[in-house]
Each structure stands twice: as C-alpha cells, then as structure tokens.
Amino acid sequence: MVNNKISVTSDNIFPIIKKFLYSDQEVFLRELVSNAVDAIVKLKTLIKLENLYDIINDFKVKVVIDKMNNTFHVIDNGIGMTEEEVDKYINQIAFSGAEEFVKKYKKTTDFSNIIGHFGLGFYSSFMVANKVTILTQSYKKNASSIFWSCEGNPNFIMEKTEKRDRGTEIILFLNEEDKKFLEHDYVLKLLHKYCKFMPITISLSSIDEKEKEIVINNVNPAWKKSPLQLNDKNYLDFYHELYTNQLEDPLFWVHLNIDHPFHLTGILYFPKIEKRIDIQKDKIHLYQNQVYITDNLEGIVPDFLSLLRGVIDSPDIPLNVSRSHLQSDASVKNISKYITRKVADKLETMFLNNRTDFQKKWKDIKIIVEYGMISSQNFFDKVIKFFVFYTINKNYFTLEEFREKIKNTQKNKKGKIVFLYYSDADKQYSSIKEAQDRCYEVLIFDSPLSVHLIHKLELSYQDICFVRVDSDHIDKLIDYKKEEKLNSELSEKEKQDLKNIILNHIMDNYQFSIQLEDLSIKDNPFLIIIPEFIRRIEEMNSTLGQEKVKKDKHYQLIVNTNHSLMKKILKEISEEKRKKIIQEALDLTLLSKDLLHGKNLANFISTKLKDLNQK
C-alpha cells in the first residue's frame, strides 16, 4: 500500500478547485461520464490497432445511485488504468494542470467567464464529495487491479486490490449538503442535459429503489450522419429530440460539416421568429465530441444567428479561455465565418430553387436576415441579392427589381429614387391611401430593426432613399407633377395672421412647430408629421433602450393654406368661435393619428356630445 502525498506546492489546491474551476457543481457528472466514455472509445481504437478481438464488445457506462451508503458511482468497462497510469494521470498531470490554472487566473475575479473545463475533469468530483475512491483494472492482462482513495486533501492511498473486471469505477462519498445527487429524477435530468448524445451507451440505475435501469442517450445523433443518410422526417425528429417542449416544427435547417481547416459538424434550425428578437429559451447547444458544453455561444456564433436553434459540435473551439479571448482566436473566427457563409448559401439556394416557397417563409425569417445584414458586411453582401421587399399589395421584389420598377415614377427633388414605406397600416392609413391614389408602390417595413437596416441600405446605395409615408405630405416626399405647382389662396399677410392665430391657440397645450404649405384644396386643413430624420433618431434610441423625448416637441403641424377652413378662420370675428373651429379641426387631425389622449380626448368627446344634444 502506498500512503503518499500528491505533489503539489500548496495545500489550498482543493478549495480552489471546488470554488473556481467550475461555475456549476453539476458539471462533475459531465466530466466523470465523459471520462468514462473516453476510456471506452480508447479501448475500441486499441482493439482495431492491436487486434484485441478477444475483448467482448459490450461497452457501456453505468451511473449508479446508492442512497443507503450515500455514494454515487460512475462505472465503465473501458481501457482501465495500471498502477503507473493512475500515478501519472491522477496524481501528477491533473494537479500540475490545477497549479497552472491557479497561476494563470489568480488575479481573475470573474471565474464564471471560464467556459468548459481545464483538463481537470476527475477532480471536479471534490466539489460534491468529501472522499473519492477509484477502482480500476487495465485491459492489459497481466496488470493488477488498483485501489486509490483521497479525502479532498493532498494525501492519498494507492494499493493493489482484488482482481476486478476490466474498466474503472469511481465512487463519490457525497457531502451532506449535496445529497440531491442521490435523487433519481434530478440525476436523470442532468444526464439528459449533458450526456444525451455521447457516443457510448449510458445508463442510470438506483441500488435501493424500484426504478429500472434507464438508457440515457442516443449514441448516433443526426448531426454525426451524412446529409445523404437523412430525410426531412429525420431532421424534424431530431429537432424535437433536442427541444422536447417545442410543439411547432422549424421552417428549415442547415447541415454543417467541414474537416478543413477545422473540424465542425452540426445542424442549425430556423424557428418561426417573426418580430421577436427577445432572448430565446431554447438556444443552440455547443458540444465537443458529443459532450454537451454550453448553450451560451457568445463569441462563437455570430449574434444574429443566436436566434436559431440546433447543435454545433467542434473539437477546435478552445474551452479553457475567457469569452473575451474567443473573438480573437483564429479558429473561432474561421468557424464564425463558415457558419455565416453556410446560412447565407442555404438562403440563396432556397430563393433560387423555389422563390414562391421562400417568400412564404420570409415573414418568419426576415428579422434574422435583417439582423445579419446590419451586423455583418459579408452577410449583407451575400444576401442583398435575394433580400425580399414586399409591398402593401403583397407583391415581392428584390432591391434591384423594385428600384427598376419605380425609378421613373418615385423620385424626390434631389433626383433620388424614393422607397416609400409604412410600419403600421392602421396608424398610417390616410398617408398610405394618398400614396396609393397616386399609384405609388408602398413597402412594408415593420420589424424592430427596420430603421437600422434602412440606414445601412442608404449608405450602400447612394441613389435611393427610404421615406415613411407619413413623414410629410405625399407631394413633398415625391416630386409630383412638377408642372402643376399650386398657388396660395392667401396673401403673405393673411398667412402670417393665420399662423399667429393658430400658434396662439395651441401653444398652451402642444409644443408643435407650425409650417404653412400651399396644398390642394382637396387635402385636409391640418397635417401632423414627424420629419423622417427626427423620427429615425427616436426609433434608433428606442431600440437601444434610451429614454424617449416628449414626442410633440418633434411634431410639425402643417397648415394647408388652400383649404376653405383657413379663410373661415381669418374671417371669423368671434374669438370663441374661431378657437372652436381651430380646436375641432386639430382634434380631428390628432384623432386620425392616434395622438388625442387623456384630458384632450375627454374634452373632445364632451364637446361633441354637447353638440349632439343641441341639435
């Protein structure tokens, strides 16, 4: 028997392992089971290399709960360890790795930023156990079985023991406060989380309970197969295997498979997103050799693709670095570029092969595409060829198709092609109708990211501009019938008098700026607008979560000098009647824009009811 001391320079190595190496206690289960799986995978490789065909091929990892003895067991029938290997891999290498970790990160305060593990998987068991025992038998026939035990300090016992079957059993004597790991359903949930797709069969059983032994995992998940082996049903079945609470099918998927210059496999699914850009409950899962690592892929997957679901499996993503270092890692950059390109290629293929079907799906995927175009220039350059604009008449166009359609009919005074759009059909109804009456095409831009995408498009295409239909009178937005310039029905003095009268009346209740325009006699007496550039700034600030400025500071009240009501206001001698005319016309205008609220709305309703009683 060897009663020895682990070769470490500090007695506080175990508290450091317990406190800092892992952000969640539960990952000890992932580490121990993945080590057991590795032991079997190594043996399977040796069987082929060394022709060890006398070894029975019934490989399995067993997780066993023993409530009576307060122990937790992980058992494999893999390669096992000799006495020399236990000394090397348990007593030396792991602890030198622990010391390296402490030296590297001793000044770090936020250890939760360390993703994955640091090559110290076995010692994670001391986060939940006050004592850990190893029983192991090497596949080498002449090797002795070895017993190893440690009670969470640098002292350990190692000795030869009674001959055992091939493989390794790790026994955890759990801390009093960690007995939850003896609960069958709790452990089952964790095994499904971390071990659901490991490549060797894993089972769970309880020694002193009635539950039967349960097989946990699918050893050959869809992402490890060739796309040629899978049909649509296989992809959909796997999606629901990943996300058991999802009742709705995804729209489509992208199968990832590359061996050079890095190794990566996976499947990304496009769920129905519509206008939602909130944090998704079901995220993309990161695996490494079929071992679950995390669903926080910040720095690995581009932000805009974090709205997708699915699996990415790559051994080339470094797990022992902080997230801030991921973005500068060359392999991670290449992986991110590859995933972006594959998604863009899939979208283009769908557009080219079946544009009608692509357009049916467009509303559900548009926000992901918009997000990508805003955040990635490479993605923008790729997808702008098939980014779909759609109009109020439910017609679909690419940018080039739409520009070609309107280039001769929708231009402003500066000669730029005007892409008219609306964001809310009800609120902007009257402005949309005015545009349609002049046979203009009006696009729908109603996502939370529209304002940012518009800005990006205008920077990329200098000959076009986007204008919301209600940002001014339609004939100001588009240079309409230049030869038919309208003259004013009022003199300059009358205009000034009119402006003063209206300004004096509204200044107590509103902070509108006033502008007089010579519009058609058919147009309304008043028009309330927010100029395009001011509204865009507000919308951008709103998207960024900044506080909104009181809106009526930005509104402009356009007064139609050619409306008959203006002469009536000027001719009216009674101050009270004049105020009533202005107020009612203004209230109706505000009401049409959904801007009449609170006290002003109550006053308007009260006045109208009085008028009805007097008739």
Side-chain angles (χ1 to χ4, degrees):
M1 179 179 80
V2 177
N3 193 335
N4 213 330
K5 190 171 183 178
I6 296 168
S7 56
V8 293
T9 58
S10 172
D11 284 346
N12 70 354
I13 198 77
F14 279 95
I16 290 171
I17 287 172
K18 290 179 181 181
K19 185 174 182 181
F20 294 133
L21 281 187
Y22 297 85
S23 56
D24 294 314
Q25 279 187 317
E26 64 191 39
V27 297
F28 87 88
L29 183 59
R30 177 191 72 188
E31 297 301 299
L32 296 185
V33 174
S34 62
N35 284 349
V37 167
D38 286 344
I40 294 174
V41 171
K42 287 174 184 175
L43 182 58
K44 291 177 75 174
T45 303
L46 286 173
I47 289 172
K48 294 177 182 177
L49 293 175
E50 300 181 10
N51 298 318
L52 304 174
Y53 296 114
D54 57 327
I55 294 177
I56 298 172
N57 188 6
D58 183 24
F59 299 117
K60 192 173 188 180
V61 175
K62 295 183 178 181
V63 176
V64 181
I65 296 169
D66 185 351
K67 274 190 174 182
M68 183 77 70
N69 294 305
N70 197 38
T71 55
F72 188 96
H73 303 246
V74 178
I75 308 163
D76 70 71
N77 56 356
I79 196 169
M81 289 182 284
T82 63
E83 185 174 8
E84 293 76 14
E85 287 168 337
V86 172
D87 185 54
K88 179 179 179 181
Y89 295 119
I90 301 300
N91 299 338
Q92 295 176 32
I93 287 181
F95 271 92
S96 66
E99 288 188 287
E100 181 186 345
F101 176 88
V102 174
K103 288 175 184 176
K104 186 170 183 180
Y105 291 104
K106 61 184 177 182
K107 294 181 181 179
T108 302
T109 55
D110 184 10
F111 284 85
S112 64
N113 268 341
I114 309 301
I115 62 172
H117 47 79
F118 204 80
L120 303 173
F122 166 70
Y123 283 97
S124 64
S125 55
F126 285 100
M127 292 191 299
V128 297
N130 53 56
K131 177 182 175 181
V132 178
T133 294
I134 300 175
L135 294 165
T136 185
Q137 169 62 49
S138 172
Y139 78 100
K140 297 174 182 176
K141 292 181 179 179
N142 297 326
S144 301
S145 295
I146 303 298
F147 168 89
W148 180 97
S149 184
C150 179
E151 295 187 4
N153 58 56
N155 299 307
F156 69 90
I157 296 171
M158 185 168 70
E159 62 184 2
K160 294 178 182 178
T161 189
E162 183 181 341
K163 198 74 171 178
R164 295 173 51 86
D165 292 335
R166 182 196 73 247
T168 300
E169 178 176 4
I170 297 177
I171 306 169
L172 277 62
F173 295 81
L174 296 175
N175 300 322
E176 191 65 29
E177 64 270 22
D178 293 309
K179 285 189 174 181
K180 60 187 176 183
F181 294 105
L182 295 174
E183 297 300 325
H184 182 275
D185 289 347
Y186 183 69
V187 175
L188 179 63
K189 180 182 176 182
L190 294 180
L191 286 169
H192 277 142
K193 177 179 179 180
Y194 290 107
C195 310
K196 194 172 185 177
F197 301 109
M198 286 187 182
I200 301 297
T201 300
I202 300 163
S203 70
L204 172 64
S205 61
S206 300
I207 289 176
D208 46 3
E209 293 188 8
K210 295 179 181 179
E211 286 91 348
K212 294 180 180 179
E213 186 175 13
I214 302 171
V215 174
I216 300 299
N217 55 325
N218 172 2
V219 299
N220 192 22
W223 84 79
K224 300 298 291 183
K225 300 175 183 178
S226 163
L228 298 175
Q229 297 176 276
L230 301 169
N231 56 34
D232 287 355
K233 185 178 184 303
N234 299 141
Y235 281 110
L236 293 173
D237 288 346
F238 178 63
Y239 177 79
H240 292 292
E241 186 179 1
L242 269 177
Y243 307 108
T244 54
N245 294 324
Q246 283 295 331
L247 301 177
E248 199 169 37
D249 287 343
L251 294 166
F252 56 93
W253 46 86
V254 182
H255 200 126
L256 308 170
N257 193 339
I258 186 171
D259 292 321
H260 184 78
F262 51 84
H263 295 280
L264 182 143
T265 55
I267 302 171
L268 295 181
Y269 292 92
F270 275 72
K272 287 186 176 181
I273 299 292
E274 294 179 336
K275 299 177 186 178
R276 292 179 290 114
I277 55 172
D278 55 328
I279 296 172
Q280 303 295 307
K281 181 182 177 183
D282 295 320
K283 303 177 184 178
I284 299 171
H285 296 172
L286 175 64
Y287 284 75
Q288 193 170 81
N289 297 319
Q290 294 176 244
V291 179
Y292 174 83
I293 304 299
T294 182
D295 65 359
N296 185 352
L297 276 73
E298 181 184 351
I300 299 170
V301 171
D303 283 348
F304 74 95
L305 294 180
S306 64
L307 298 171
L308 303 187
R309 298 184 182 130
V311 169
I312 291 173
D313 189 335
S314 175
D316 294 326
I317 295 174
L319 301 179
N320 58 345
V321 297
S322 63
R323 295 189 186 280
S324 60
H325 288 107
L326 279 175
Q327 292 177 348
S328 59
D329 184 90
S331 62
V332 172
K333 279 185 175 180
N334 287 333
I335 286 170
S336 182
K337 287 179 182 176
Y338 166 74
I339 293 170
T340 301
R341 189 182 76 247
K342 286 292 289 184
V343 169
D345 288 345
K346 174 68 175 184
L347 292 169
E348 184 176 28
T349 300
M350 290 170 59
F351 176 81
L352 294 174
N353 289 350
N354 191 339
R355 181 166 174 174
T356 301
D357 185 60
F358 180 81
Q359 288 170 178
K360 286 179 183 177
K361 294 180 170 73
W362 182 247
K363 286 184 181 180
D364 292 310
I365 65 171
K366 182 183 66 159
I367 197 163
I368 296 175
V369 179
E370 288 178 339
Y371 194 176
M373 292 173 74
I374 293 163
S375 56
S376 167
Q377 186 60 47
N378 288 337
F379 190 75
F380 179 94
D381 293 339
K382 182 83 173 177
V383 305
I384 191 60
K385 294 177 289 185
F386 55 84
F387 182 87
V388 176
F389 298 86
Y390 56 102
T391 71
I392 192 168
N393 298 321
K394 296 182 171 56
N395 296 318
Y396 290 81
F397 301 91
T398 64
L399 186 139
E400 289 302 325
E401 289 168 350
F402 193 69
R403 181 161 58 177
E404 185 66 26
K405 180 175 180 60
I406 66 169
K407 67 180 182 180
N408 296 321
T409 56
Q410 293 183 206
K411 285 189 175 182
N412 63 16
K413 290 180 180 179
K414 294 180 180 179
K416 287 193 174 186
I417 302 171
V418 178
F419 283 42
L420 290 173
Y421 72 95
Y422 73 91
S423 58
D424 189 308
D426 292 330
K427 290 182 180 179
Q428 294 142 32
Y429 174 80
S430 59
S431 298
I432 295 168
K433 187 175 184 304
E434 286 177 349
Q436 288 184 308
D437 288 345
R438 288 160 174 74
C439 298
Y440 295 149
E441 293 284 352
V442 184
L443 300 171
I444 303 171
F445 269 81
D446 58 355
S447 91
L449 301 177
S450 290
V451 65
H452 301 279
L453 178 62
I454 285 169
H455 180 66
K456 177 88 172 177
L457 289 166
E458 288 178 337
L459 288 175
S460 302
Y461 297 89
Q462 298 294 315
D463 63 329
I464 67 174
C465 67
F466 288 79
V467 184
R468 207 170 81 178
V469 287
D470 63 340
S471 60
D472 206 336
H473 188 275
I474 189 65
D475 293 339
K476 299 294 180 181
L477 300 178
I478 293 176
D479 204 9
Y480 176 69
K481 296 185 179 181
K482 298 176 185 177
E483 70 280 2
E484 293 186 11
K485 185 176 180 181
L486 295 168
N487 295 316
S488 176
E489 297 284 327
L490 303 180
S491 67
E492 292 302 315
K493 184 181 183 305
E494 286 174 319
K495 285 183 181 180
Q496 190 58 50
D497 290 344
L498 179 65
K499 185 173 183 179
N500 291 336
I501 291 167
I502 295 172
L503 190 59
N504 289 336
H505 177 69
I506 69 168
M507 63 188 301
D508 292 336
N509 295 319
Y510 302 98
Q511 298 181 44
F512 300 152
S513 61
I514 296 179
Q515 186 173 324
L516 274 59
E517 296 279 0
D518 304 331
L519 305 177
S520 167
I521 59 173
K522 295 179 182 178
D523 290 321
N524 292 332
F526 293 143
L527 177 67
I528 295 175
I529 65 166
I530 301 182
E532 179 74 14
F533 76 97
I534 293 176
R535 196 201 65 258
R536 283 198 205 178
I537 292 171
E538 270 214 350
E539 288 178 356
M540 285 185 177
N541 289 341
S542 176
T543 307
L544 297 171
Q546 297 180 12
E547 190 175 341
K548 292 183 178 181
V549 180
K550 192 177 179 184
K551 274 191 173 182
D552 59 356
K553 283 187 176 181
H554 295 159
Y555 284 127
Q556 282 186 4
L557 178 63
I558 306 296
V559 179
N560 181 5
T561 61
N562 287 331
H563 195 280
S564 59
L565 200 61
M566 300 308 144
K567 285 193 174 182
K568 185 175 182 180
I569 291 169
L570 287 169
K571 290 177 180 178
E572 182 57 58
I573 299 172
S574 169
E575 184 70 20
E576 186 179 342
K577 288 183 179 180
R578 181 190 289 167
K579 282 186 176 182
K580 185 176 181 181
I581 295 169
I582 295 171
Q583 189 61 56
E584 289 200 4
L586 181 61
D587 284 345
L588 289 168
T589 306
L590 290 166
L591 195 62
S592 71
K593 294 288 186 180
D594 193 27
L595 296 173
L596 193 63
H597 303 126
K599 180 182 176 182
N600 293 328
L601 177 59
N603 289 340
F604 173 74
I605 294 170
S606 177
T607 301
K608 287 289 122 189
L609 289 173
K610 285 179 182 177
D611 290 346
L612 287 172
N613 284 331
Q614 291 172 2
K615 289 181 180 180

